[in-house]
């Protein structure tokens, strides 16, 4: 009986958490809907007297508003990508892993299971990264989100303002959401400013419109400044090919931690997120490179399996012997692109 009450309470708590998680989204939606009313009705219809100016303002505003709403929608409702079935432990490996008490043997079981997978990141102790809750070997750059309760491919962070995990599936949409949010705020501030001054100096009548126009400029500037810092930070992350999590905790490889492990050069870093077709960069459609399970590494030696690396090292040793023990360039740690 007591167990049943605990389970019911747990379900009720999770239900309340899901409901309250939508509060930030509802706040943003409410502010946006008010800004739409204030701009279209109170500014363009009530305040503006020039018909041509009114038409131009409304057309440009609705184009920007549509792009802003589209990217926000995609950021919220694009589900995070999870690891596919090949990263799940087999039934026999899972049973052996769960019954084994020795951490070293568990580490060996995971290493054997990951041999055929494109997995190069490791834990701080050098073990293959494994999620006990999802029972999967974590692909590179994948992390478990405690809020969503799932492992998310190339997880960046969990954003309460979109009530979603920002990761491989929607990182491009999130960046475009920041871009069009800034454009939306900047356009409102630029077009409202002159009427803000007229209302502020009491050169225009209409108390209702005055309130909306004054606060419209203040709110637009407030959001613009706050979003500008966030957008600048993510621009820096994209230029370095890092996620927010990787900026705080560098990824660990077999050779050790490397904060620039996925840094391929500025242009290639951008293409990793936005894709090869530049015509699609500013449109919220899927165009990111790859499948989210594996990513090109900065150093070629890190992008090879240990077995392949050993074979190539053997070939190099043979070449040294054939050439009288001299090899012009024996380093295999070659940067793919600077």
């Amino acid at each position: 009986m007591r167990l049943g009450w605990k389970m019911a309470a747990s379900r009720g708590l999770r239900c309340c958490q899901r409901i309250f998680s939508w509060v930030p989204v509802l706040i943003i939606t409410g502010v946006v809907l008010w800004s739409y009313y204030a701009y279209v009705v109170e500014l363009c219809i009530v305040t503006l007297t020039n018909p041509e100016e009114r038409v131009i303002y409304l057309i440009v505003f609705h184009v920007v508003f549509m792009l802003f709403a589209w990217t926000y929608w995609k950021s919220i409702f694009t589900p995070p990508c999870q690891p596919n079935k090949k990263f799940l432990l087999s039934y026999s490996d899972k049973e052996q892993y769960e019954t084994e008490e020795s951490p070293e043997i568990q580490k060996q079981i995971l290493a054997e299971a990951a041999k055929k997978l494109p997995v190069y990141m490791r834990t701080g102790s050098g073990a293959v990264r494994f999620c006990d809750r999802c029972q999967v070997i974590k692909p590179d750059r994948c992390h478990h989100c405690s809020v969503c309760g799932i492992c998310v491919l190339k997880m960046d962070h969990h954003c309460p303002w979109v009530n979603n995990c920002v990761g491989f599936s929607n990182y491009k949409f999130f960046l475009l959401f920041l871009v069009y949010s800034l454009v939306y705020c900047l356009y409102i501030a630029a077009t409202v400013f002159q009427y803000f001054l007229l209302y502020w100096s009491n050169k225009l009548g209409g108390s209702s419109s005055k309130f909306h126009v004054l606060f419209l400029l203040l709110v637009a500037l407030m959001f613009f400044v706050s979003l500008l810092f966030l957008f600048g930070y993510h621009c820096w992350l994209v230029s370095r090919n890092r996620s927010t999590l990787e900026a705080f905790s560098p990824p660990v490889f077999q050779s050790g931690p490397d904060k620039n492990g996925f840094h391929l050069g500025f242009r290639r870093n951008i293409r990793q997120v936005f894709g090869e077709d530049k015509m699609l960069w500013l449109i919220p459609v899927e165009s990111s490179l790859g499948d989210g399970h594996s990513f090109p590494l900065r150093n070629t030696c890190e992008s090879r399996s240990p077995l392949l690396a050993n074979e190539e090292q053997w070939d190099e040793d043979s070449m040294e012997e054939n050439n009288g023990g001299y090899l012009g360039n024996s380093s295999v740690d070659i940067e793919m692109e600077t």
Side-chain angles (χ1 to χ4, degrees):
M1 188 71 175
R2 196 174 288 177
L3 180 61
W5 277 106
K6 287 182 178 179
M7 291 179 64
S10 179
R11 292 194 192 98
L13 181 61
R14 286 197 296 268
C15 183
C16 291
Q17 288 176 339
R18 292 193 191 99
I19 293 173
F20 282 110
S21 66
W22 285 100
V23 171
V25 176
L26 294 176
I27 292 174
I28 295 296
T29 303
V31 172
V32 171
L33 291 177
W34 166 78
S35 69
Y36 182 89
Y37 165 79
Y39 192 91
V40 172
V41 177
E42 300 295 346
L43 177 70
C44 293
I45 296 178
V46 176
T47 303
L48 294 182
T49 57
N50 188 324
E52 294 179 356
E53 186 180 22
R54 179 183 297 165
V55 170
I56 294 173
Y57 275 28
L58 286 173
I59 290 175
V60 177
F61 173 81
H62 280 92
V63 170
V64 175
F65 181 83
M66 181 193 70
L67 291 170
F68 163 75
W70 189 5
T71 54
Y72 191 43
W73 177 275
K74 295 284 283 186
S75 299
I76 296 172
F77 294 106
T78 301
C81 283
Q82 302 178 57
N84 60 32
K85 293 182 179 179
K86 71 178 183 180
F87 287 87
L88 289 168
L89 283 181
S90 65
Y91 179 79
S92 58
D93 288 339
K94 180 181 177 182
E95 188 176 23
Q96 186 181 2
Y97 179 82
E98 291 177 346
T99 55
E100 184 57 55
E101 295 181 359
S102 172
E104 287 301 319
I105 297 180
Q106 286 183 329
K107 184 177 177 180
Q108 293 175 9
I109 294 171
L110 294 178
E112 285 295 323
K115 275 187 174 180
K116 296 182 180 180
L117 298 174
V119 175
Y120 305 103
M121 284 181 61
R122 296 292 185 265
T123 64
S125 62
V128 172
R129 301 189 312 135
F130 180 73
C131 180
D132 291 312
R133 285 163 286 189
C134 298
Q135 295 293 299
V136 296
I137 293 175
K138 293 181 182 178
D140 290 349
R141 315 185 82 174
C142 174
H143 297 275
H144 184 88
C145 177
S146 58
V147 179
C148 297
I150 59 174
C151 283
V152 179
L153 296 181
K154 196 188 175 184
M155 180 178 172
D156 188 88
H157 69 288
H158 185 91
C159 180
W161 299 108
V162 299
N163 191 29
N164 199 4
C165 250
V166 178
F168 176 78
S169 62
N170 63 350
Y171 187 59
K172 175 190 172 183
F173 305 148
F174 179 76
L175 289 176
L176 291 180
F177 163 62
L178 295 180
V179 170
Y180 290 120
S181 296
L182 289 170
V183 174
Y184 182 71
C185 293
L186 185 61
Y187 177 77
I188 288 177
T191 53
V192 167
F193 182 70
Q194 59 177 321
Y195 299 98
F196 173 89
L197 295 178
L198 292 174
Y199 274 120
W200 186 264
S201 58
N202 294 319
K203 294 181 180 179
L204 289 176
S207 57
S208 175
S209 297
K210 178 180 180 179
F211 167 81
H212 287 287
V213 171
L214 291 178
F215 274 90
L216 190 59
L217 178 65
L218 296 176
V219 171
L221 290 176
M222 180 183 68
F223 274 94
F224 178 82
V225 172
S226 59
L227 288 169
L228 188 62
F229 286 102
L230 181 60
F231 177 67
Y233 176 67
H234 278 279
C235 285
W236 177 78
L237 290 177
V238 171
S239 70
R240 294 291 178 178
N241 203 351
R242 297 178 195 170
S243 66
T244 299
L245 295 176
E246 291 164 356
F248 286 97
S249 180
V252 179
F253 301 93
Q254 293 178 351
S255 58
D258 185 358
K259 63 182 180 180
N260 292 319
F262 298 103
H263 180 41
L264 307 174
F266 181 75
R267 293 181 180 178
R268 292 187 65 186
N269 291 343
I270 293 178
R271 289 199 294 267
Q272 284 288 306
V273 176
F274 293 97
E276 299 287 355
D277 190 352
K278 295 182 180 180
M279 298 292 292
L280 300 178
W281 281 13
L282 296 178
I283 304 175
V285 296
E286 293 181 7
S287 62
S288 300
L289 299 183
D291 60 0
H293 291 84
S294 61
F295 301 89
L297 300 175
R298 180 172 65 96
N299 296 324
T300 56
C301 67
E302 293 174 344
S303 65
R304 299 171 182 150
S305 67
L307 180 61
L308 183 60
N310 291 335
E311 290 177 352
E312 292 184 351
Q313 183 63 45
W314 184 85
D315 290 339
E316 289 181 359
D317 292 340
S318 300
M319 290 175 63
E320 287 186 26
E321 292 178 0
N322 295 334
N323 293 328
Y326 175 77
L327 183 65
N329 185 4
S330 61
S331 175
V332 294
D333 189 13
I334 303 172
E335 185 166 303
M336 296 175 66
E337 181 178 335
T338 59

